[in-house]
Amino acid sequence: ETARGGLIKRGMYLDHCDVAALLNVEREQIGMDGIETLDDMAALKRKVLDAARRAVVLNADDPRCLALATEFASPVRTLLFSRDAQSSALRDHRARGGDVLYVDGEMIAWGLGAKTVSLLGASEIPVTKDGLFWQHASNAMAAAGLA
């Protein structure tokens, strides 16, 4: 993932990469540097995903990130992550053979097909302050997907 300001001011700093992530499309920087809508922000941030050659990691809890999930085809793998282990988006993606990462209780897990691997507890990530700051667990799922 690359910051909005850097993309606008300096463009993409590489031609391609192995993996890329889009964690969210937020309102916080709307109205700056010609980005007037959430759709403008999503289009800008998508440039990073378009550089990926092996995999993209998308936040299934963010509707604009999730909307991109079907736009990447083989050989680019699409991984979805969610704080909701019962997310219909994750269930559907997994049923189609896609990788998913999710929080099940307090455990971050990775799933593909019938296989599930528990990675670590959200409270084991120091920056979550014993799981209190869930946003950082989302960042950890994205990082696991990138890895």
Side-chain angles (χ1 to χ4, degrees):
E1 184 164 272
T2 300
R4 169 213 55 86
L7 283 171
I8 288 174
K9 292 177 175 104
R10 291 176 284 290
M12 282 293 290
Y13 49 89
L14 46 80
D15 293 329
H16 66 275
C17 56
D18 286 338
V19 295
L22 181 53
L23 280 59
N24 59 51
V25 180
E26 299 283 332
R27 300 197 72 75
E28 63 196 35
Q29 296 176 334
I30 300 297
M32 298 170 64
D33 299 318
I35 302 298
E36 300 302 325
T37 67
L38 286 171
D39 290 334
D40 291 344
M41 183 69 75
L44 175 66
K45 287 185 162 192
R46 185 206 165 104
K47 291 179 182 184
V48 176
L49 300 176
D50 290 335
R53 299 295 182 254
R54 298 188 69 194
V56 295
V57 180
L58 301 168
N59 181 352
D61 296 332
D62 183 302
R64 283 179 174 77
C65 294
L66 181 59
L68 298 172
T70 60
E71 296 187 22
F72 297 92
S74 184
V76 178
R77 229 165 118 183
T78 301
L79 294 87
L80 296 181
F81 69 91
S82 174
R83 292 185 318 273
D84 179 5
Q86 303 305 315
S87 162
S88 62
L90 290 191
R91 264 195 324 269
D92 294 347
H93 186 68
R94 192 172 184 177
R96 290 190 305 272
D99 293 84
V100 297
L101 294 124
Y102 54 92
V103 178
D104 189 8
E106 96 94 25
M107 185 62 61
I108 294 175
W110 166 76
L112 178 63
K115 182 178 180 180
T116 299
V117 176
S118 295
L119 300 178
L120 77 159
S123 63
E124 295 176 61
I125 304 166
V127 74
T128 68
K129 302 290 185 193
D130 292 324
L132 181 63
F133 297 108
W134 58 261
Q135 304 91 321
H136 298 301
S138 293
N139 294 342
M141 286 186 287
L146 289 168

